[in-house]
Amino acid sequence: TPNPRAKFLLQELVKSLHDYVSKTGLTFEEWEYAIDFLTRTGHKCTDTRQEFILLSDALGVSMLVDAVNHRDREGATQTTVLGPFYVGEHKVTAHGTDISPNNQTGERMFVQSRVTDLKGKPLAGVPVDVWHADDDGFYDSQKPNYDEVGASARARFITDADGRFFFRTILPCSYPIPTDGPVGEMIMQTKRHPMRPAHVHFLVNAKGYEPLITHVFMDGDKYLDSDVVFGVKDDLVAKVEPRNDPAMPDGSKANGQWHLMTYEFHLKPG
Ligand code: DHB
Ligand code: FE
């Protein structure tokens, strides 16, 4: 069946590509390089790695698609890229749980948060998926023994009657996106760095509201202004304060210095 929207999208794409070739005077060699680059990008795609998404992210296309689909969100928490390390619905976990594995190094962090509507009314019973990288910059799902070891620094919390949720973990750190493929080659050739500033991913999905896919970034990270996937928005940067109190906000014992991250999520009806 004819699809007018598909036809329109293709016409515009072809126009842009033709413009590009004319404007740059693209050589045969350059054209062959482009074909080879895209072929290798396809070959790098596996069950656990989608190199085309990485390409879209590193070219700023993903964030632009996000922006044109999220206009008119005054007062709502900003969105950003999902990233390749979301593995589907996480396991429901009790508030206050330490989600970092026992043997893990890293500075301690307590995260306290709340989910509300645009008027500040708390939303109860809302599932919130959380995931972040470890102290070496890797997600649990990137480890070869993930299937045996299972989830770490990855959990689902259900907001309480006041819309709150809280948990313990370690401070995430900045990390490079995978550089062993064509996208890495592109980043190196154009003298960019492959780093993402430290962040925690949040996916908040409340009935009757737009799903919120976002990160909270750590204030002070040196890559905030040059995120390789252009994912940073000012409102998503949180102050993460060092604390020396002997107990964390839920009364659990602190064992030396720790960090407090406080952030509220405001959902748009939809
Ligand atoms: C993330 C990682 C990526 O490689 C990417 O392209 C986008 C996001 C991330 O972990 O947040
Ligand atoms: Fe990430």
Side-chain angles (χ1 to χ4, degrees), residues 53-54 57 81-85 139 175 177-178 196 199 201 215 229:
I53 294 183
L54 205 56
D57 289 357
V81 280
L82 178 65
F85 305 122
Y139 286 80
Y175 60 82
I177 63 168
R196 299 218 61 210
H199 59 270
H201 292 256
H215 319 343
V229 303

Side-chain angles (χ1 to χ4, degrees), residues 207-224:
K207 275 207 189 70
Y209 294 84
E210 277 185 7
L212 174 67
I213 296 171
T214 198
H215 319 343
V216 177
F217 295 91
M218 313 292 125
D219 198 13
D221 192 288
K222 70 173 180 173
Y223 298 110
L224 281 175

Side-chain angles (χ1 to χ4, degrees), residues 244-263:
N244 288 300
D245 321 26
M248 296 198 185
D250 64 349
S252 62
K253 201 166 176 297
N255 280 326
Q257 203 198 45
W258 52 285
H259 302 260
L260 179 64
M261 177 199 267
T262 308
Y263 199 84

